């Protein structure tokens, strides 16, 4: 490899992405400044000005008529690339500003001989303030001479392994294209996804990955959940990887529907996947709040504690990164973590473990507390102050109490929105 050889080719397909396209390509500039790169972009039918934006940044920009096949569009980009590594993004994604780990990997000549692919963290936001998100890992970088192609009309993936994979633990691709997916805003995208997925599923009805994608895009429809769980019980291909997030999705769906199935699915998830990070984080989260809402505080406590221990391990990169290739961890964002901390403080209080309640309250990050969790935290503080010999005044003033609360009595706390 010589210094002028292209090290990295970046591929993007887009259509009417004026909202976010420039943000995406600008996030790539640190890479393009640091190593020889080529940016190849395919326009699948824009009429909103996206094409003009792309042409300002792309080394190659071309038209590819949309044929309801994401893999076909990706391969059209790939066909215009030679040599080096190939990385791909969606227009509603952007590369984190810290690219040091990725650059370190690409600059090491020995990596070209040892690895064929690299895996990124995809952080997919679900709230407009970007405080709530899900995480999953996927291959987004491979050797361009590996013979890999894209397959799948939707949620396209690689046709084969590109070789030994390297886990980029600190490299994040941020994604905001699914904010509002579950509501009216996401209706058109859900319909598009399901039409393409149904076509794929008809060809391969026992494909667990397709069934999992149908669960996600249908917002947990029972028919897909049942087929997927039956497939796991039959040990269909990849059941051990896809099983934990599928069971997590079943437990999540049962929070509003089929509560009678909830305990059955939780128990089965723990039987089949006792060591899975999906069990320790997502399933524990749902189990903790279900029991807490039923005021079964003593039973809820260990699941809140299990969740927080697993979150700590996850944040410290002490979990098997390949376990995240099966699906998205749902309950990993800081606001979810602080939600559990606030409610676990209440659980400790209800169980008369006052010292534990105080210790838990002291760990709260008030910047990531939703209004309901703040109310719970303040409720616990007030009651600890009045019902124990602990002085909570300092913690209330310094940690949680903020303008907007109106305290009526120890049992009733109202959230008042400040006038603007």
């Amino acid at each position: 490899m010589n210094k002028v050889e292209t090290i990295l080719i970046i591929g993007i397909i887009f259509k009417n992405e004026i909202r976010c396209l420039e943000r995406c390509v600008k996030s790539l500039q640190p890479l393009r400044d640091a190593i020889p790169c080529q940016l190849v972009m395919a326009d699948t039918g824009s009429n909103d000005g996206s094409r003009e934006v792309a042409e300002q940044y792309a080394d190659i920009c071309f038209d590819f008529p949309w044929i309801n096949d994401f893999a076909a569009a990706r391969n059209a980009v790939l066909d215009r690339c030679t040599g080096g590594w190939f990385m791909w993004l969606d227009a509603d994604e952007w590369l984190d500003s810290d690219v040091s780990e990725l650059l370190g990997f690409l600059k090491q000549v020995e990596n070209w001989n040892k690895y064929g692919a690299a895996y990124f963290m995809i952080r997919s936001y679900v709230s407009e303030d970007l405080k709530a998100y899900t995480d999953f890992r996927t291959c987004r970088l491979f050797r361009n001479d590996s013979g890999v192609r894209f397959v799948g009309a939707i949620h396209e993936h690689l046709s084969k392994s590109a070789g030994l994979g390297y886990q980029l633990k600190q490299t994040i691709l941020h994604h905001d294209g699914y904010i509002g997916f579950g509501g009216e805003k996401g209706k058109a995208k859900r319909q598009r996804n399901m039409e393409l997925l149904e076509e794929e599923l008809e060809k391969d009805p026992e494909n667990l990955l397709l069934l999992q994608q149908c669960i996600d895009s249908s917002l947990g429809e029972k028919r897909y959940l049942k087929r997927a769980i039956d497939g796991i019980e039959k040990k269909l291909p990849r059941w051990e990887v896809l099983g934990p997030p599928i069971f997590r999705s079943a437990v999540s769906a049962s929070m509003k529907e089929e509560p009678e199935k909830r305990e059955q699915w939780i128990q089965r998830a723990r039987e089949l996947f006792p060591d899975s990070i999906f069990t320790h984080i997502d399933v524990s989260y749902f189990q903790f709040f279900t029991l807490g809402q039923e005021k079964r505080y003593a039973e809820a406590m260990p699941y809140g504690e299990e969740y927080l221990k697993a979150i700590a391990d996850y944040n410290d990169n002490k979990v098997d990164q390949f376990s995240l290739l099966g699906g998205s961890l749902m309950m990993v964002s800081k606001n979810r973590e602080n939600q559990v901390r606030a409610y676990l403080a209440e659980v400790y209080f209800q169980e008369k473990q006052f010292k534990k309640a105080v210790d838990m309250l002291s760990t709260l990050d008030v910047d990531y507390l939703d209004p309901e969790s703040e109310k719970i935290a303040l409720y616990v503080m007030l009651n600890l102050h009045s019902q124990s010999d602990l002085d909570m005044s300092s913690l209330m003033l310094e940690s949680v109490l903020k303008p907007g609360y109106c305290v009526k009595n120890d049992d009733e706390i109202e959230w008042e929105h400040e006038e603007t």
Side-chain angles (χ1 to χ4, degrees):
M1 182 183 70
N2 58 57
K3 292 184 178 180
V4 297
E5 181 182 356
T6 299
I7 293 177
L8 178 66
I9 303 99
I10 305 168
I12 299 173
I13 63 174
F14 66 94
K15 179 180 179 180
N16 291 338
E17 298 285 4
I18 195 66
R19 174 188 73 86
C20 54
L21 186 59
E22 190 162 29
R23 177 189 64 188
C24 175
V25 292
K26 280 186 173 181
S27 75
L28 303 171
Q29 200 58 49
L31 281 179
R32 301 180 76 187
D33 290 341
I35 57 175
C37 289
Q38 185 180 47
L39 177 59
V40 181
M41 304 181 70
D43 181 0
T44 61
S46 298
N47 58 15
D48 68 343
S50 296
R51 177 59 177 268
E52 289 74 15
V53 171
E55 288 176 341
Q56 295 178 39
Y57 295 91
D59 297 294
I60 299 174
C61 187
F62 66 97
D63 291 312
F64 182 81
W66 180 241
I67 56 172
N68 288 331
D69 190 325
F70 281 92
R74 297 275 186 215
N75 287 329
V77 172
L78 193 57
D79 289 339
R80 286 164 172 79
C81 305
T82 57
W85 294 86
F86 180 78
M87 182 177 85
W88 73 100
L89 294 84
D90 287 326
D92 55 8
E93 296 175 335
W94 66 100
L95 187 61
D96 192 79
S97 58
D98 183 0
V99 296
S100 56
E101 181 188 36
L102 178 56
L103 282 173
F105 174 80
L106 291 169
K107 287 179 177 181
Q108 291 295 319
V109 178
E110 55 266 32
N111 289 335
W112 289 60
N113 299 318
K114 184 175 181 180
Y115 298 102
Y119 292 80
F120 291 21
M121 179 70 76
I122 311 295
R123 180 153 291 171
S124 190
Y125 296 96
V126 296
S127 66
E128 294 286 353
D129 62 6
L130 306 186
K131 288 186 177 181
Y133 53 80
T134 66
D135 282 351
F136 73 97
R137 285 200 163 271
T138 190
C139 176
R140 283 299 186 89
L141 181 74
F142 60 82
R143 285 286 303 273
N144 206 21
D145 59 2
S146 62
V148 166
R149 303 290 287 175
F150 290 96
V151 294
I154 187 169
H155 300 309
E156 65 280 9
H157 52 280
L158 302 185
S159 59
K160 64 177 183 177
S161 171
L164 182 64
Y166 183 84
Q167 290 289 346
L168 293 162
K169 295 183 178 181
Q170 310 298 330
T171 304
I172 299 174
L173 275 175
H174 303 275
H175 173 229
D176 69 356
Y178 276 81
I179 293 175
F181 182 73
E184 187 63 28
K185 179 182 176 181
K187 185 176 180 180
K189 184 176 283 191
R190 294 199 306 272
Q191 290 176 338
R192 179 207 68 185
N193 287 4
M194 289 309 303
E195 288 173 5
L196 295 173
L197 285 168
E198 284 285 6
E199 289 180 15
E200 296 286 296
L201 195 59
E202 191 172 338
K203 302 172 192 173
D204 193 1
E206 291 196 326
N207 187 313
L208 278 179
L209 178 60
L210 287 173
L211 286 168
Q212 181 196 45
Q213 292 166 350
C214 286
I215 291 168
D216 293 340
S217 287
S218 69
L219 306 182
E221 278 193 24
K222 297 176 189 176
R223 55 183 172 138
Y224 299 117
L225 282 168
K226 184 179 186 307
R227 287 175 63 179
I229 288 175
D230 288 346
I232 294 166
E233 297 292 353
K234 290 195 296 184
K235 295 182 169 50
L236 293 179
R238 298 191 68 195
W239 73 274
E240 292 174 299
V241 174
L242 298 170
I246 286 173
F247 264 98
R248 179 279 318 281
S249 295
V251 173
S252 174
S254 72
M255 297 295 288
K256 293 182 179 179
E257 298 182 12
E258 295 191 296
E260 69 281 359
K261 290 273 192 182
R262 185 187 309 135
E263 288 301 321
Q264 174 189 334
W265 284 334
I266 288 174
Q267 181 179 353
R268 192 60 177 145
R270 290 191 176 278
E271 288 172 354
L272 289 173
F273 313 108
D275 300 321
S276 170
I277 193 64
F278 289 91
T279 301
H280 292 316
I281 290 182
D282 287 348
V283 173
S284 291
Y285 176 95
F286 293 122
Q287 206 164 1
F288 172 68
F289 278 100
T290 296
L291 293 168
Q293 288 165 2
E294 296 171 357
K295 301 188 184 307
R296 295 158 63 184
Y297 299 117
E299 295 173 69
M301 189 187 302
Y303 298 113
E305 293 171 340
E306 178 183 0
Y307 170 90
L308 291 179
K309 181 182 183 305
I311 279 287
D313 289 342
Y314 177 75
N315 290 335
D316 290 339
N317 287 314
K318 293 180 180 178
V319 303
D320 177 13
Q321 298 294 328
F322 282 103
S323 67
L324 301 182
L325 298 177
S328 298
L329 273 171
M330 292 174 62
M331 301 300 167
V332 291
S333 56
K334 288 184 180 180
N335 65 337
R336 296 295 189 187
E337 179 184 347
N338 278 274
Q339 190 180 46
V340 171
R341 291 183 183 279
Y343 280 81
L344 186 56
E346 184 192 16
V347 166
Y348 287 143
F349 167 74
Q350 297 292 349
E351 290 299 302
K352 309 299 183 186
Q353 297 187 29
F354 296 155
K355 180 62 167 58
K356 281 189 174 182
V358 174
D359 290 343
M360 187 56 60
L361 289 170
S362 68
T363 68
L364 289 172
D365 185 337
V366 297
D367 292 330
Y368 290 92
L369 273 178
D370 59 77
E372 191 61 34
S373 298
E374 285 187 301
K375 282 196 249 183
I376 291 296
L378 185 55
Y379 165 83
V380 174
M381 287 183 185
L382 290 169
N383 279 279
L384 284 170
H385 192 70
S386 62
Q387 296 181 31
S388 73
D389 58 359
L390 300 168
D391 183 357
M392 302 299 299
S393 57
S394 176
L395 186 59
M396 283 191 288
L397 290 172
E398 294 176 8
S399 300
V400 173
L401 189 56
K402 297 193 291 187
Y405 279 113
C406 173
V407 182
K408 291 191 173 182
N409 55 52
D410 284 359
D411 298 315
E412 186 177 1
I413 304 173
E414 284 190 347
W415 175 257
E416 296 182 341
H417 295 286
E418 293 180 310
E419 294 185 1
T420 56

